[in-house]
Amino acid sequence: MSEIRLIVGLGNPGREYDFTRHNAGFWWVDALAQQYSWSFRAESKFHGLVARGRLEGHELFLLKPQTFMNVSGRAVGALAQFYQIEPGQILVVHDELDLPPGGVKLKFGGGHGGHNGLKDIFSHLGTREFWRLRIGIGHPGERAAVVNYVLNAPRAEENGQIEHAVQRGLQVAPLVFSGKLEAAMLKLHSN
């Protein structure tokens, strides 16, 4: 199992989106960067904000695409291609409608479940074979309400649950960095 070299947090750029459910991926990579005192810099050739550092003996990149969610793949593809990072060495952190607020799951491959950010990453990488850390935001109950739901801030009690999911995801981060993703899954999914 190869180690993770790139962690991508999905979200929308701009202050008006900072606290929306769709930005749960940004929240996670921000918390990770803060934990290791890494700072993000705008890198136009990667269409995003990039932080880099060394962990567990290897270089790791954090990426927050600044292209808007639906075209996240442009940023992911550009950075992965430039640094010759294989899809299996990428972890994409994103909001997940199919998990309740507070739920967090790690998985490899699979479908996009209607998530436009993942859809675009599939098309730019040419594969679904990458890791995802799915942060539960819950579902509004009906399909027609999804867009409005993800582009709004969570209610106070949901916010606390989502923050808890972010923290649980951070607890398994060292296992993820060292390529022990099966162990990370076991730890995360047995809590």
Side-chain angles (χ1 to χ4, degrees):
M1 180 66 63
S2 65
E3 79 270 354
I4 295 296
R5 293 180 57 206
L6 169 60
I7 298 178
V8 182
L10 295 187
N12 283 310
R15 207 166 264 155
E16 68 270 32
Y17 297 107
D18 281 350
F19 302 105
T20 63
R21 293 176 178 95
H22 225 11
N23 277 33
F26 276 7
W27 301 346
W28 196 85
V29 294
D30 282 339
L32 182 68
Q34 189 175 6
Q35 188 171 312
Y36 291 101
S37 302
W38 295 354
S39 35
F40 285 96
R41 280 198 355 238
E43 294 203 25
S44 58
K45 70 181 169 195
F46 302 132
H47 315 284
L49 301 175
V50 179
R52 65 180 66 159
R54 292 193 73 75
L55 278 180
E56 306 294 325
H58 70 274
E59 190 173 37
L60 182 71
F61 295 90
L62 303 182
L63 172 65
K64 291 167 55 177
Q66 298 296 289
T67 53
F68 286 96
M69 182 68 81
N70 297 357
V71 285
S72 298
R74 186 188 314 161
V76 178
L79 195 145
Q81 186 175 17
F82 188 85
Y83 289 107
Q84 299 179 329
I85 297 172
E86 296 298 316
Q89 298 174 310
I90 298 172
L91 173 68
V92 175
V93 186
H94 64 88
D95 58 301
E96 178 60 68
L97 288 163
D98 294 334
L99 289 175
V104 58
K105 298 274 184 199
L106 183 64
K107 76 181 232 180
F108 185 77
H112 55 68
H115 196 292
N116 290 327
L118 290 176
K119 243 187 258 188
D120 197 57
I121 293 169
F122 288 176
S123 73
H124 280 267
L125 294 180
T127 183
R128 300 170 173 207
E129 305 293 296
F130 55 86
W131 287 92
R132 300 101 183 266
L133 183 68
R134 303 156 58 218
I135 298 173
I137 60 167
H139 197 286
E142 54 189 84
R143 201 175 166 151
V146 166
V147 171
N148 193 36
Y149 181 78
V150 299
L151 294 178
N152 275 288
R155 295 190 313 267
E157 68 274 12
E158 292 171 343
N159 206 39
Q161 293 166 323
I162 294 168
E163 180 54 37
H164 179 68
V166 166
Q167 292 306 318
R168 284 185 51 220
L170 289 173
Q171 288 169 3
V172 300
L175 292 170
V176 170
F177 302 148
S178 56
K180 298 175 181 154
L181 289 126
E182 304 296 334
M185 283 170 88
L186 192 65
K187 184 173 178 178
L188 202 55
H189 301 177
S190 60
N191 283 353

